[in-house]
Amino acid sequence: MRILTLILALCGTLCLTGCLSTQVSKSELTGEEHIFVSDYGWKLFNTIPLFRSDITLERVEAALADEAARRGKTATGLTSHRFDNIMFDVPLLVITIPIPYVVCYNEIQLSGVLQ
């Protein structure tokens, strides 16, 4: 029973931790490289960060600039999107718990073209 509890706690922790990801893809038609950087995390009552507190546009911009510099290019035509969800969605079950501001999802996305 303790092992099952430990596994469930570990799975819950992994589901609620944030993630900074960078993706680059190349267009087959134009040959341009498109870059997409996303960072997300969870907040309790939309104010107290769970596991991470650094989900900011500056962090996403720095990751994008680092990847562009690593490839020897600059990013142009940047577009950002901020997504905040105050209702708790249960992953994989597509169920929304109708109690707002308990566990809130925050995501910042930034994309552009590498030239």
Side-chain angles (χ1 to χ4, degrees), residues 29-72:
L29 297 175
T30 63
E32 291 180 327
E33 289 183 307
H34 185 267
I35 186 167
F36 175 80
V37 182
S38 174
D39 192 16
Y40 71 88
W42 301 87
K43 291 183 180 179
L44 186 64
F45 307 117
N46 208 26
T47 56
I48 304 167
L50 298 175
F51 305 106
R52 287 187 36 215
S53 63
D54 58 348
I55 301 167
T56 62
L57 184 58
E58 290 80 18
R59 181 170 188 243
V60 175
E61 287 173 344
L64 187 135
D66 289 345
E67 182 65 23
R70 189 179 72 76
R71 294 175 178 268

Side-chain angles (χ1 to χ4, degrees), residues 16-27:
L16 291 177
T17 57
C19 179
L20 176 69
S21 64
T22 303
Q23 300 172 3
V24 177
S25 62
K26 189 171 185 176
S27 172

Side-chain angles (χ1 to χ4, degrees), residues 5-16:
T5 305
L6 181 62
I7 290 172
L8 289 175
L10 180 62
C11 288
T13 301
L14 291 175
C15 287
L16 291 177

Side-chain angles (χ1 to χ4, degrees), residues 41-113:
W42 301 87
K43 291 183 180 179
L44 186 64
F45 307 117
N46 208 26
T47 56
I48 304 167
L50 298 175
F51 305 106
R52 287 187 36 215
S53 63
D54 58 348
I55 301 167
T56 62
L57 184 58
E58 290 80 18
R59 181 170 188 243
V60 175
E61 287 173 344
L64 187 135
D66 289 345
E67 182 65 23
R70 189 179 72 76
R71 294 175 178 268
K73 299 184 176 187
T74 59
T76 60
L78 297 178
T79 303
S80 67
H81 176 73
R82 181 176 195 99
F83 180 74
D84 296 319
N85 190 359
I86 61 169
M87 300 293 228
F88 182 65
D89 293 324
V90 178
L92 302 176
L93 296 180
V94 192
I95 298 173
T96 300
I97 298 175
I99 303 171
Y101 295 109
V102 176
V103 178
C104 303
Y105 176 80
N106 298 294
E107 181 177 8
I108 297 175
Q109 300 172 347
L110 188 62
S111 64
V113 176

